Amino acid sequence: MASLKDLKNRITSVKSTQKITKAMQMVAASKLRRAQEAAEAARPYAERMESVLTGLGIAAKDSPGASPLLIGSGSQDVHLVIVATSERGLCGGFNANIAKAARGYIENLIADGKTVKILCIGKKGFGLLRRDYGDKVIDLKDLSGVKRLSFSDAQPIASEILAMFERGEFDVASLFYAKFQSVLVQIATNQQLIPAPMPEAANENDAADELGGAIYDYEPNEGAILEDLLPRNVAVQIYRGLLENAASEQGSRMTAMDNATRNAGDMIDSLSITYNRTRQANITKELIEIISGAEAL
């Protein structure tokens, strides 16, 4: 049985840990609101851009000279898997869930005989995937120095991915991130970036429905607009994924630290009961020894 001193030291240690987890919970809660607002503000723009690309792409994908970003490279042998996670831990299963979804997707590609390349955004995902796919990880994008995400943080990543595609280093690119729904729910999401995904069996009427029933005439023409929008869409979708991740990370960290604080409180209560019982037992033992000694005299 632990001594009173050991129990007291352990209680003090757990109380110190509880203060840290409580402080981290409060910091995450303060960051969550701003991150959630940023993620929700980015959704309409990203979704509308997807709708516009759908309308333009349906008309242009069968035309001569259509952009490879729209129709693909003509092959699906090499896949680039972009895994966006956090730079820091202590956020529950946030990073593990994204890595698990990416790992399942990668295993399916390998089983189908595809070549896989992995680009990690965030050190935690890199650490989780390096164990199994170290030879497939081609780069790590470290955003630990970024205090507040902006489009300029996503643009260089998108530019590098587009340059790789132009050099023929991959055929299909997919982005994994966690879509924020609530503090308790973050959904690991797989979004194809290149080629731009087109709805199956889509037609011009479906495109009009996507645009609110309106039919648009584009100037100068669909091809010229697509040439500008398709590269921009890659950056927009990456930026959206990073914003969703930022909100999901804070929500997951807030929940994890709240649970840790509660568990620390339960442990303190349990240790305090053990401490008091041990102390009472020692006092009783000392009284018995005193009484026994007195009777012996």
Side-chain angles (χ1 to χ4, degrees):
M1 180 180 292
S3 65
L4 288 176
K5 183 178 181 181
D6 292 337
L7 288 171
K8 192 170 184 179
N9 289 339
R10 191 173 181 187
I11 291 172
T12 301
S13 176
V14 175
K15 284 183 177 179
S16 299
T17 302
Q18 186 184 40
K19 290 179 181 179
I20 295 172
T21 57
K22 183 64 176 178
M24 292 185 66
Q25 177 193 352
M26 295 176 67
V27 170
S30 65
K31 291 182 177 180
L32 173 61
R33 182 176 179 181
R34 186 171 61 187
Q36 182 179 352
E37 289 175 351
E40 291 176 347
R43 287 176 186 171
Y45 182 81
E47 291 169 357
R48 178 58 64 177
M49 177 167 283
E50 287 180 331
S51 299
V52 171
L53 285 176
T54 298
L56 289 168
I58 291 170
K61 66 179 181 180
D62 296 326
S63 63
S67 172
L69 292 174
L70 180 64
I71 62 174
S73 62
S75 173
Q76 292 189 347
D77 293 333
V78 183
H79 287 250
L80 177 65
V81 181
I82 307 159
V83 184
T85 55
S86 68
E87 301 291 346
R88 301 172 181 83
L90 297 177
C91 49
F94 167 73
N95 294 306
N97 290 337
I98 299 174
K100 180 180 178 181
R103 189 177 286 111
Y105 181 72
I106 292 168
E107 288 296 333
N108 290 335
L109 291 175
I110 294 175
D112 291 338
K114 308 295 185 182
T115 301
V116 177
K117 298 180 179 180
I118 303 173
L119 172 63
C120 294
I121 304 175
K123 291 184 290 188
K124 289 301 176 179
F126 174 72
L128 290 170
L129 295 174
R130 180 177 54 180
R131 304 169 188 170
D132 300 323
Y133 310 108
D135 58 328
K136 302 183 186 303
V137 178
I138 60 173
D139 198 3
L140 165 64
K141 300 300 180 184
D142 188 347
L143 300 180
S144 56
V146 177
K147 299 301 181 183
R148 187 171 184 177
L149 281 168
S150 64
F151 186 73
S152 60
D153 298 313
Q155 184 66 60
I157 300 174
S159 298
E160 182 173 336
I161 293 171
L162 291 169
M164 291 173 61
F165 182 68
E166 290 176 359
R167 293 193 297 267
E169 297 182 14
F170 66 88
D171 302 311
V172 180
S174 300
L175 172 66
F176 281 84
Y177 64 94
K179 185 175 182 180
F180 179 83
Q181 279 200 340
S182 68
V183 174
L184 298 175
V185 180
Q186 302 89 33
I187 301 174
T189 303
N190 175 13
Q191 181 176 359
Q192 182 174 306
L193 298 179
I194 301 174
M198 291 288 110
E200 294 184 5
N203 54 45
E204 293 184 2
N205 291 331
D206 295 331
D209 292 338
E210 288 288 333
L211 295 172
I215 301 295
Y216 292 93
D217 288 329
Y218 295 95
E219 294 291 344
N221 56 62
E222 288 87 346
I225 295 174
L226 278 173
E227 187 177 349
D228 180 68
L229 282 187
L230 285 169
R232 181 181 294 272
N233 179 62
V234 175
V236 168
Q237 300 306 330
I238 291 175
Y239 180 48
R240 175 195 183 184
L242 293 178
L243 290 177
E244 294 282 355
N245 258 11
S248 297
E249 177 189 353
Q250 298 304 332
S252 184
R253 178 172 288 116
M254 179 179 170
T255 302
M257 291 302 101
D258 179 57
N259 291 336
T261 302
R262 293 175 186 272
N263 291 338
D266 293 340
M267 185 177 291
I268 291 170
D269 292 340
S270 176
L271 289 172
S272 296
I273 291 173
T274 303
Y275 175 84
N276 291 333
R277 286 177 177 174
T278 303
R279 180 171 176 272
Q280 186 63 45
N282 288 342
I283 292 173
T284 302
K285 180 181 178 182
E286 290 175 359
L287 288 174
I288 292 174
E289 291 175 350
I290 292 172
I291 294 172
S292 298
E295 290 180 352
L297 294 175

